[in-house]
Amino acid sequence: MSATTFPFKENAYTLYSNALCPYAQRAIRAFNIAKVPYVVEEIDLKNKPDWYHLVNPQLKVPALRTPDGTILIESLVIAEFVADQFPESGLLSTNATERAQLRLFIELFASRINPFTYKSMTSAEVEDQKKAAESLLAGVRAVNNELLRQWERPSGKGGPFWYGSKFGFAEIVTVSFVGLFVGLKHYRGFEVPETEEYAAFNKWRAAFSQHPGFTDVKPEDAALIEAYKKFIADNKH
């Protein structure tokens, strides 16, 4: 195949993805939960195809080609596109207040969980690893408290998911990153305590960990551990 063309399926959604990428998993989950057919072009992130710049000049996954030929990039953009394109899926509420509360939760998660997950892995200094772990646990407590607030709202319905008994958009765009905790446990001994201040987070995690929306996309633990080995810095004291 020349570098002037790229593979896609006519009249279909073609998702350019990588099974181990937590961002790409967001897009896969959005299509799965919305029950929208799609095809996957798996992208080897270590050896990207020479045509991939035609899909995404940033060379990142995921990317999406829609049936009309439009190319979309960025996982949140793609997930929101699926929700808006297929409103019958109910991925996003039609209530403006509920959507705003959901966006705030997603932003909280992105700012308080994701950076410290990676920093815990990449920090070489043991003291820096400890500080990153403390910041990550503080982020988990913040997520825990926001879940409690949501479950008291009518849309939360007492949990265990953001929207009560429904695995929805909140889970689609966040659970991949909680899945990375398996690597933190393996390499850094990190675990979320089973104490009251983390009870809501642990309830939420236990619920989504058994849901097909999570398990059907989740890589094997061994594959994740091996994939994230490259991020692990050797300890320095």
Side-chain angles (χ1 to χ4, degrees), residues 19 21-35 38 79 91 161 165-179 204-219:
C21 174
Y23 293 97
Q25 289 166 30
R26 284 173 159 177
I28 294 283
R29 287 193 171 98
F31 276 98
N32 287 354
I33 298 300
K35 296 182 170 57
Y38 62 97
L91 293 187
F161 302 115
S165 61
K166 181 180 180 180
F167 185 107
F169 197 86
E171 286 73 36
I172 285 168
V173 301
T174 59
V175 298
S176 299
F177 301 95
V178 182
W204 178 62
R205 184 181 184 183
F208 76 64
S209 294
Q210 300 174 46
H211 194 282
F214 178 72
T215 59
D216 288 354
V217 181
K218 175 186 174 295

Side-chain angles (χ1 to χ4, degrees), residues 23 27-28 50 73 193 237:
Y23 293 97
I28 294 283
D50 59 3
I73 62 173
H237 296 273

